[in-house]
Amino acid sequence: PRVDKNYVLVASEWYMTTDGIKQPASFDMAKAHAMEPDWTTFNGYANQYVTHPLTAKPGETVRLWVVAAGPTLDTDFHVVGTIFDRAWPNANVMGAPQQGVQTVQVPAGGGGVFDVKIDEPGLYPFVSHPFAHVDLGQVGLLKVGNPKGTMSH
């Protein structure tokens, strides 16, 4: 089905040898083996869509194409304050979508497609539902309309 907006989100985790400030960072295999990332991100930067939200007008249908690049962690994709009108796990857009679901697992190395229509203005966080991932940066906002304040959901 046609939609009003399309956004692509690539979920990743980063295992680094240093913080990258005093010297360049490189991949830390020991942290990767322990599955203890320094950062989890959408499109390579922690928290970038908190300071620069994705936007939509009330009543628009937004399609979110989500890829879990990994290399190891799944992304349990969720938009706080709403449910998905349609969700295609494994990005199987040729198949019938799931409807009315809140959270869908996107496996590492996999993808998912999510349609959401929000009528009420507000700031709607999108996350990987394990909240440790949120604390490490895998969080953003979908700004619907022109809400007042800094958070509504």
Side-chain angles (χ1 to χ4, degrees):
R2 293 179 56 103
V3 296
D4 300 298
K5 298 257 180 151
N6 282 280
Y7 292 107
V8 175
L9 298 169
V10 179
S12 304
E13 74 255 20
W14 301 88
Y15 304 93
M16 300 165 31
T17 54
T18 70
D19 62 9
I21 295 173
K22 293 181 182 176
Q23 62 184 19
S26 60
F27 181 71
D28 186 320
M29 184 59 80
K31 286 182 181 178
H33 283 182
M35 291 189 278
E36 294 178 352
D38 294 284
W39 300 104
T40 57
T41 64
F42 286 118
N43 296 343
Y45 295 93
N47 303 307
Q48 72 172 314
Y49 299 115
V50 173
T51 53
H52 304 287
L54 305 180
T55 61
K57 295 176 184 170
E60 284 187 326
T61 298
V62 175
R63 179 164 291 155
L64 299 155
W65 302 79
V66 179
V67 175
T72 304
L73 301 177
D74 296 337
T75 297
D76 299 327
F77 194 67
H78 174 66
V79 178
V80 178
T82 191
I83 59 173
F84 298 120
D85 295 291
R86 292 177 294 268
W88 291 270
N90 299 311
N92 180 16
V93 294
M94 300 305 288
Q98 293 182 359
Q99 296 180 312
V101 296
Q102 292 187 81
T103 304
V104 176
Q105 185 179 53
V106 181
V113 181
F114 307 92
D115 287 356
V116 64
K117 178 181 174 187
I118 301 173
D119 293 322
E120 294 296 318
L123 294 167
Y124 295 83
F126 55 89
V127 300
S128 179
H129 207 279
F131 273 62
H133 296 191
V134 173
D135 288 344
L136 293 173
Q138 204 166 69
V139 59
L141 294 172
L142 176 60
K143 180 181 176 184
V144 178
N146 292 306
K148 304 289 184 217
T150 58
M151 190 64 64
S152 57
H153 291 86

